[in-house]
Amino acid sequence: MRKSPVYLDHNASTPVRPEVLEAMLPYLKGEFGNPNSVYFLGQRARKAVENARAQVAALLGAAEDEIVFTSCGSESDVAAIAGAAWQAHDESRGAKKHIVSSAIEHDAVRGLLGELKRRDFSVSEAPVDGLGLVSPAAVEALINGGTSLVSIMHANNEVGTIQPIEALSALCRARGALFHTDAVQSAGKIPLDVKKLGVDLLSISGHKINAPKGIGALYARRGIRLSPLITGHQEKNRRGGTENVASIVGLGKACELALKELSHSSELLKLRNKLEEGVLRIPGSRLNGHPTQRLPNGAHFSFQGLDGHQLVIALDMEGICVSSGPACSSGSSLPSHVLTAMGVDPELATGSLRISMGWSSTEADIARLLEALPPAVDKLRRIPAGSR
Ligand code: PLP
């Protein structure tokens, strides 16, 4: 029989918090009005959407009219990048068609940039160092007169390294390029203030912060013009489609809770220290990512002489949910593009494990992991390399 589950993969997705579900339920039952309808039922839904917009804006330090609801983090990324790139292309009559990004972006961004490249745009990729950091000087060197946008993630979804966003946005401003950051992994985990960060566009996703899957938001600084992906009059003509009221309410509540609890990250840090101390006692293990400039909720390790995917399966047998890489490519034994870009040796990169905690994580979860991990690593290392 499977042991009681231990969930340590909060960077992949998070449980919906009871308070979030409670807030959503009325909008899945009697309060089903379309927020664009003029009668009372519609107007009550409109009020709920606007209340959620204020809650999201508060988490990000934004004004309410700078928040656009989307269907997910991926859509926020695409709406920001493609929206800004198309707009600049059209306004400059084709003169501005260059985008700068980094080598460690999420597939939502990488995939889109590949599509844009096939459609007459050019894309430059800034490298990262061994800790996963992008250098502002390297980004600056890639910007040219045709650059409309620079998009560099805030915190990496695999190793958690946090980028120097303030420096990056400042140099973009000086060079006349817009700056977008994918903050899907950092929102709710570390303080975020769009004005302090100096960004023009910023993406977040509901299911990484204890709201449901299938809801996201985009911060678009007042005055930024984006070519919309979905045309329609909703969201002030910035994103068509009838608003997903219940999920928007859930995202708002999750942001409100995250803002209140940001100060709890010191407790997560304590747990993370315990986790790291325990894991790094295993011979042939190492920590990936920046030692300090890193998300507080997790750690990413490599183990010599084993396959991370098999390690995930071995821990799954013990009821422990962790991952060997990003959720969208788990199941693959190929080294991740992030670790490759960081110059991690391919053998070590293949033997990777990402452990990420969240609101529901406890000391007992870490104790269970630390009990199960060393024998699992030991057992897998005994399998001859050719049969792994
Ligand atoms: N960006 C980052 C950094 C992510 O980690 C993810 C999800 O894993 C996304 C974007 C995509 O978000 P969503 O799953 O809401 O589309």
Side-chain angles (χ1 to χ4, degrees), residues 136-355:
V139 170
E140 185 154 30
L142 294 172
I143 297 177
N144 61 43
T147 308
S148 57
L149 176 78
V150 174
S151 177
I152 293 181
M153 71 197 321
H154 191 194
N156 182 260
N157 47 307
E158 292 182 49
V159 297
T161 297
I162 299 170
Q163 300 301 335
I165 297 298
E166 285 178 45
L168 291 165
S169 69
L171 73 88
C172 289
R173 215 167 23 256
R175 299 290 302 271
L178 292 179
F179 185 78
H180 164 251
T181 193
D182 174 338
V184 165
Q185 290 293 346
S186 56
K189 293 176 186 155
I190 54 173
L192 270 192
D193 183 327
V194 288
K195 306 293 178 217
K196 200 159 158 253
L197 290 174
V199 298
D200 299 299
L201 298 153
L202 177 144
S203 312
I204 69 165
S205 168
H207 74 109
K208 310 289 184 180
I209 54 169
N210 306 105
K213 293 161 189 65
I215 184 71
L218 173 66
Y219 158 78
R221 185 170 59 74
R222 217 174 261 164
I224 297 284
R225 287 185 304 278
L226 298 176
S227 185
L229 294 188
I230 306 176
T231 54
H233 63 270
Q234 291 90 352
E235 297 295 281
K236 296 201 166 74
N237 299 314
R238 293 173 295 184
R239 201 271 187 183
T242 302
E243 296 87 341
N244 179 353
V245 179
S247 293
I248 286 173
V249 167
L251 177 61
K253 187 70 189 174
C255 287
E256 182 192 271
L257 293 169
L259 184 59
K260 267 193 208 143
E261 293 170 13
L262 272 174
S263 52
H264 292 190
S265 71
S266 58
E267 283 156 37
L268 271 186
L269 269 178
K270 269 191 222 146
L271 275 188
R272 190 183 85 178
N273 290 344
K274 243 186 204 151
L275 167 75
E276 290 178 3
E277 264 172 49
V279 174
L280 293 174
R281 275 196 210 115
I282 299 173
S285 62
R286 65 167 249 183
L287 182 72
N288 296 311
H290 199 282
T292 54
Q293 227 167 292
R294 187 157 54 96
L295 290 177
N297 74 310
H300 187 282
F301 303 96
S302 283
F303 301 93
Q304 205 109 44
L306 57 77
D307 179 335
H309 181 53
Q310 290 183 0
L311 187 53
V312 169
I313 294 170
L315 291 170
D316 179 39
M317 308 283 267
E318 299 295 319
I320 300 172
C321 309
V322 289
S323 64
S324 55
C328 33
S329 65
S330 61
S332 155
S333 289
L334 291 174
S336 86
H337 71 279
V338 174
L339 298 179
T340 304
M342 288 166 59
V344 177
D345 172 78
E347 197 215 310
L348 264 180
T350 308
S352 288
L353 198 65
R354 178 183 74 175
I355 298 163

Side-chain angles (χ1 to χ4, degrees), residues 93-113:
R93 299 215 181 96
K96 291 216 166 211
K97 50 184 184 185
H98 177 238
I99 301 165
V100 176
S101 191
S102 86
I104 58 163
E105 298 299 309
H106 187 267
D107 276 351
V109 171
R110 282 168 22 106
L112 169 68
L113 293 177

